[in-house]
Amino acid sequence: MALTNTNVDGNVGTITLNNPEKRNALSDALVHEVVEGLRDFSARRLRAVILRAMPGVKVWSAGHDVGELPEGRRDPLGWDDPLRHLIREIEDFPAPVIAMIEGTVWGGASETVFACDLIVASPEATFAVTPAKLGVPYNVTGMLTFLNAANIRIVKELLFTAKPMTAARAERAGAINYVVPAAELESFTYGLANDIALLAPLSIAVMKEQLRVLSGAHPVSPRGFERVQGLRRTVYDSFDYGEGISAFREKRRPVFRGE
Ligand code: YXS
């Protein structure tokens, strides 16, 4: 059964997350469908893509599929993790990817949204970044996605509180572009996409890639990178990581020990 719907109208493509039973969790299967949709849109040389959920949804996406996270002793967000693939496909897509947000956004889905080029949200939308809820050591490029989306004060608030941030606050922080009443969200977002689609696609594609290269240009020494990876390993090898994953699966509150 399809976990997403795709649609093309002129030079604008739409990918709709459609797995409400699992609150559009970013499972390997769902991410695969989104990536295939983006690759098809790229082959068709579409000039803008809208990434959305079904109209009126309460949960845009519940984030990484916790059921697919390793129990421990393995990096939960390594290079080949589905979420990492999805982020890179969005960043590499040769035209603007616009996130149209209704409902709540969680964990890796918040990074997915922040990796998009433009974000339009309804006033009821919220964004939560949840590694600290589960004891997950987020990865380096993921940290960069957040740092490129908002200033470090806002990033620390999102990461250290794991609490949902309202669309209004996210807009004030510059982390999202527009907050639009739900009734106007679709017409506004498609108007934006169609305006972009009338402009020079090669110019936009090159400027998008330039910005990707420049925004990713943070010098980290090999020693610095290995230190970060070593620290992350102490987290995903910890009791707390296993406790966070188990508590989610057992639908109970985790009791973290700091070890
Ligand atoms: O019990 P069933 O089989 O009906 O399934 C339930 C949930 O288990 C499932 N589900 C998920 N399955 C896998 N991964 C998920 N992230 C996930 N979220 C939900 O969907 C079915 C309905 O869930 P339920 O009953 O809780 O729905 P609800 O409407 O009462 O509440 C919706 C949420 C989103 C508030 C609630 O499901 C929730 O809090 N989900 C987890 C949000 C979250 O913490 N996501 C972070 C995932 S980990 C991640 O993204 C990164 C690795 S990190 O943590 O580092 O950011």
Side-chain angles (χ1 to χ4, degrees), residues 63-83:
H64 202 300
D65 185 326
V66 176
E68 294 182 356
L69 287 172
E71 302 272 343
R73 308 228 173 274
R74 187 164 62 81
D75 189 337
L77 293 172
W79 178 262
D80 284 323
D81 177 82
L83 174 64

Side-chain angles (χ1 to χ4, degrees), residues 60-257:
W60 193 87
S61 171
H64 202 300
D65 185 326
V66 176
E68 294 182 356
L69 287 172
E71 302 272 343
R73 308 228 173 274
R74 187 164 62 81
D75 189 337
L77 293 172
W79 178 262
D80 284 323
D81 177 82
L83 174 64
R84 304 316 321 154
H85 272 292
L86 178 58
I87 299 293
R88 291 195 297 269
E89 288 288 331
I90 290 170
E91 291 174 339
D92 293 346
F93 187 82
V97 178
I98 305 171
M100 186 173 91
I101 310 298
E102 288 180 274
T104 56
V105 188
W106 303 83
S110 290
E111 186 195 349
T112 301
V113 171
F114 291 150
C116 290
D117 299 291
L118 297 171
I119 304 167
V120 187
S122 75
E124 299 76 22
T126 62
F127 306 87
V129 183
T130 52
K133 266 175 71 177
L134 287 169
V136 168
Y138 222 78
N139 65 305
V140 178
T141 55
M143 288 288 112
L144 202 49
T145 304
F146 294 122
L147 281 173
N148 286 331
N151 75 44
I152 193 165
R153 198 75 54 225
I154 295 294
V155 172
K156 287 184 174 181
E157 178 185 335
L158 285 164
L159 287 168
F160 299 165
T161 70
K163 289 187 184 311
M165 181 172 285
T166 64
R169 276 212 66 209
E171 185 194 32
R172 281 202 302 276
I176 69 175
N177 298 84
Y178 301 97
V179 179
V180 174
E184 301 161 26
L185 186 65
E186 202 161 301
S187 58
F188 181 92
T189 306
Y190 280 87
L192 187 63
N194 282 298
D195 288 349
I196 290 170
L198 293 172
L199 300 173
L202 290 180
S203 167
I204 290 175
V206 166
M207 289 189 287
K208 175 172 174 177
E209 179 61 3
Q210 281 175 289
L211 288 170
R212 184 194 68 77
V213 171
L214 291 170
S215 62
H218 288 250
V220 176
S221 68
R223 181 165 184 254
F225 178 74
E226 287 181 1
R227 168 161 170 68
V228 167
Q229 287 299 92
L231 289 170
R232 294 187 60 243
R233 182 168 189 170
T234 61
V235 175
Y236 63 73
D237 277 355
S238 69
F239 164 87
D240 280 359
Y241 173 80
E243 166 65 4
I245 300 293
S246 303
F248 180 87
R249 290 177 177 162
E250 296 159 16
K251 299 187 187 292
R252 61 177 173 80
R253 182 182 290 274
V255 178
F256 295 124
R257 295 180 184 164

